[in-house]
């Protein structure tokens, strides 16, 4: 039973990433090492964030307004992820769709390995079944969609021939992504949401976020021909 549960978790968390890589056609572009490069930049970015957080935001803040302000500034550090993805996109040659897919999948895979692999190896192989590992696996699939959408928005934002009003909208969406954890945590605390309902809300946000990003990308592609 333990091995069966672990196998289910591994399949649930890794198979969607594999299918996204294969079915998107990235394997035909030889994008594997570019995905690895994206993962390396992800790890370097997280190291920088950890150093900044440890230096300026020690984990000793109490409850209340001070804690909320501290969390706001901590989430501000997540702007480094946008910078990291920007450098990833600049290092990938090719057309728009291959660039954003390579950057998004590589970034999401690196986050998956660093934040989920050890958890599943230690926890999902335990003697007792726990739904938390299924939840973490499903959340990783939600993050895959979100990271690809974020990479797409950053790539669109970096284009010089983009409409200024549209660029403002994209900038606001990217900022919203950075402060999403704070918004979800506040919403969960205020509404006393359970773990599963919170996961559904995150999935709904990622779906809307992804569809909105796809709409922007398609409209811009039709106008200036960036496929």
């Amino acid at each position: 039973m333990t091995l069966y549960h672990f196998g289910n978790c591994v399949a649930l968390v890794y198979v969607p990433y594999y299918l996204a890589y294969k079915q998107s056609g990235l394997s035909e572009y030889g994008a594997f090492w570019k995905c690895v490069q994206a993962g390396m930049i992800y790890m370097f970015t997280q190291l920088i964030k950890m150093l900044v957080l440890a230096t300026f935001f020690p984990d000793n803040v109490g409850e209340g307004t001070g804690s909320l302000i501290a969390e706001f500034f901590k989430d501000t550090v997540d702007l480094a992820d946008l910078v990291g993805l920007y450098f990833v996109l600049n290092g990938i040659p090719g057309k728009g769709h291959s660039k954003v897919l390579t950057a998004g999948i590589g970034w999401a895979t690196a986050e998956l390995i660093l934040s989920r692999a050890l958890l599943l190896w230690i926890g999902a192989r335990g003697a007792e079944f726990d739904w938390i590992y299924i939840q973490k696996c499903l959340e990783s699939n939600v993050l895959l969609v979100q990271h690809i959408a974020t990479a797409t928005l950053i790539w669109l934002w970096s284009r010089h021939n983009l409409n200024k009003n549209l660029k403002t909208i994209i900038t606001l969406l990217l900022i919203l992504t950075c402060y999403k954890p704070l918004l979800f945590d506040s919403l969960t605390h205020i509404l006393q949401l359970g773990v599963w309902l919170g996961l559904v809300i995150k999935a709904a946000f990622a779906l809307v976020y992804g569809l909105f990003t796809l709409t922007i990308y398609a409209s811009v592609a039709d106008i200036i021909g960036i496929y």
Side-chain angles (χ1 to χ4, degrees):
M1 180 64 184
T2 299
L3 184 61
Y4 180 71
H5 175 48
F6 176 70
N8 282 338
C9 290
V10 170
L12 182 60
V13 74
Y14 287 110
V15 169
Y17 283 70
Y18 173 77
L19 292 178
Y21 178 80
K22 293 294 290 185
Q23 299 303 318
S24 62
L26 291 182
S27 58
E28 300 176 3
Y29 288 93
F32 177 78
W33 291 110
K34 288 299 179 180
C35 289
V36 174
Q37 177 184 334
M40 297 297 291
I41 295 178
Y42 170 83
M43 289 189 288
F44 178 76
T45 303
Q46 301 314 301
L47 177 61
I48 297 298
K49 286 171 57 179
M50 288 172 59
L51 292 175
V52 172
L53 289 173
T55 304
F56 298 102
F57 305 101
D59 192 17
N60 58 0
V61 183
E63 299 293 333
T65 305
S67 176
L68 185 63
I69 295 175
E71 290 299 324
F72 173 81
F73 284 111
K74 287 181 180 180
D75 287 343
T76 302
V77 180
D78 288 341
L79 291 171
D81 289 332
L82 304 183
V83 178
L85 268 172
Y86 176 79
F87 282 111
V88 171
L89 288 166
N90 282 342
I92 300 175
K95 297 182 179 179
H97 70 279
S98 63
K99 289 169 70 76
V100 298
L101 286 173
T102 302
I105 293 176
W107 192 272
T109 303
E111 182 181 28
L112 170 65
I113 293 174
L114 292 179
S115 62
R116 299 286 192 273
L118 186 61
L119 174 69
L120 293 179
W121 179 254
I122 295 177
R125 292 168 63 245
E128 296 183 2
F129 174 83
D130 196 329
W131 280 104
I132 188 173
Y133 303 110
I134 301 295
Q135 295 163 0
K136 292 296 183 181
C137 293
L138 293 174
E139 186 178 11
S140 69
N141 296 328
V142 172
L143 290 175
L144 173 61
V145 176
Q146 181 179 316
H147 286 317
I148 293 176
T150 300
T152 304
L153 290 176
I154 293 174
W155 184 76
L156 289 171
W157 181 87
S158 65
R159 296 191 62 84
H160 299 292
N161 53 354
L162 191 67
N163 182 276
K164 289 184 177 180
N165 293 330
L166 194 57
K167 196 166 189 175
T168 301
I169 296 174
I170 292 174
T171 302
L172 293 176
L173 285 173
L174 291 173
I175 294 175
L176 175 63
T177 305
C178 293
Y179 294 103
K180 179 178 69 69
L182 178 61
L183 295 175
F184 279 147
D185 289 343
S186 300
L187 184 64
T188 301
H189 178 72
I190 293 173
L191 300 180
Q192 297 295 315
L193 300 177
V195 178
W196 284 107
L197 186 56
L199 180 60
V200 170
I201 294 177
K202 290 180 181 180
F205 173 84
L207 179 61
V208 174
Y209 182 70
L211 289 176
F212 194 74
T213 301
L214 181 61
T215 301
I216 296 177
Y217 178 83
S219 62
V220 172
D222 286 338
I223 294 174
I224 60 180
I226 57 176
Y227 282 117

